[in-house]
Amino acid sequence: MSHRAAGTHGAEHEFRVFVQGIADSLYRTAYLLCGDRFLADDLVQEALAKAYSNWRKVQRADSPSAYVRRILINESRRGWRKNRKYAVESGGRVPEPAVADMADGVVNRAELLHALQSLPARQRATVVLRFLEGLSERETATTLGCSEGTVKSQTSRALIKLKSVLKEEY
């Protein structure tokens, strides 16, 4: 086996290990961003395909998982621009995010998903990353390619909107 072939095999193995560690979290993020399990699958596949084609660059990043999450969010934004509104699938399999601390009175995941869909794309991404994926303000800023101040302001606006939408449902 040539040195190049051995390197390619090693990179493939490293990528597979990386994917095994991040796949569930990426799927959960994608689902919460778009509200549709099939679109979430597509988003994750697109993000992972791009990550694989740039794997060495991803590995050199300060945070490879943040880098791939940013690819995922960019892919979802492209989808939002194409289709301004994704349909929320009722009764579908919802991943198990820790939503209890997000907003008082959230009765079920379908209501939370509906409320998330009411947010503009950047606010939605901020809330998903901060509260449902547990990223810090700094990690969220890195993932979204913005300042921590932007994360704080987007989070504040998003929480106000979420509380308003959730109150309307009761």
Side-chain angles (χ1 to χ4, degrees):
M1 179 184 306
S2 72
H3 178 67
R4 182 179 170 106
T8 301
H9 179 63
E12 286 178 18
H13 176 72
E14 291 168 359
F15 182 75
R16 286 176 198 219
V17 169
F18 174 78
V19 169
Q20 288 172 345
I22 196 172
D24 288 343
S25 177
L26 282 179
Y27 177 79
R28 185 173 50 245
T29 298
Y31 181 82
L32 292 167
L33 289 171
C34 71
D36 181 282
R37 65 183 175 164
F38 300 110
L39 290 173
D41 283 337
D42 290 345
L43 284 172
V44 170
Q45 290 303 312
E46 287 292 322
L48 291 176
K50 287 186 177 192
Y52 182 75
S53 67
N54 295 296
W55 180 235
R56 290 297 175 208
K57 187 176 180 181
V58 172
Q59 286 181 303
R60 288 190 304 267
D62 290 338
S63 174
S65 59
Y67 190 101
V68 174
R69 217 177 277 288
R70 187 171 189 178
I71 294 171
L72 177 79
I73 289 168
N74 288 339
E75 286 300 309
S76 70
R77 285 181 181 159
R78 282 184 191 85
W80 288 326
R81 284 193 283 274
K82 288 178 189 172
N83 307 313
R84 283 285 181 205
K85 188 174 182 180
Y86 289 126
V88 176
E89 182 176 308
S90 61
R93 179 187 146 278
V94 178
E96 296 293 327
V99 298
D101 297 331
M102 171 109 169
D104 291 21
V106 175
V107 174
N108 64 47
R109 289 183 186 99
E111 290 172 0
L112 176 61
L113 189 57
H114 170 74
L116 284 171
Q117 297 304 305
S118 73
L119 296 174
R122 189 167 199 146
Q123 289 179 15
R124 185 181 321 162
T126 302
V127 168
V128 167
L129 294 174
R130 287 282 293 125
F131 295 100
L132 302 172
E133 291 299 331
L135 272 61
S136 68
E137 288 172 349
R138 175 173 286 162
E139 292 167 326
T140 301
T142 298
T143 300
L144 295 176
C146 63
S147 70
E148 288 182 51
T150 299
V151 169
K152 290 176 185 179
S153 66
Q154 292 293 308
T155 301
S156 176
R157 290 181 189 126
L159 292 177
I160 290 167
K161 173 76 173 175
L162 285 174
K163 287 177 184 177
S164 170
V165 169
L166 291 170
K167 282 182 185 178
E168 288 174 12
E169 292 183 4
Y170 293 111

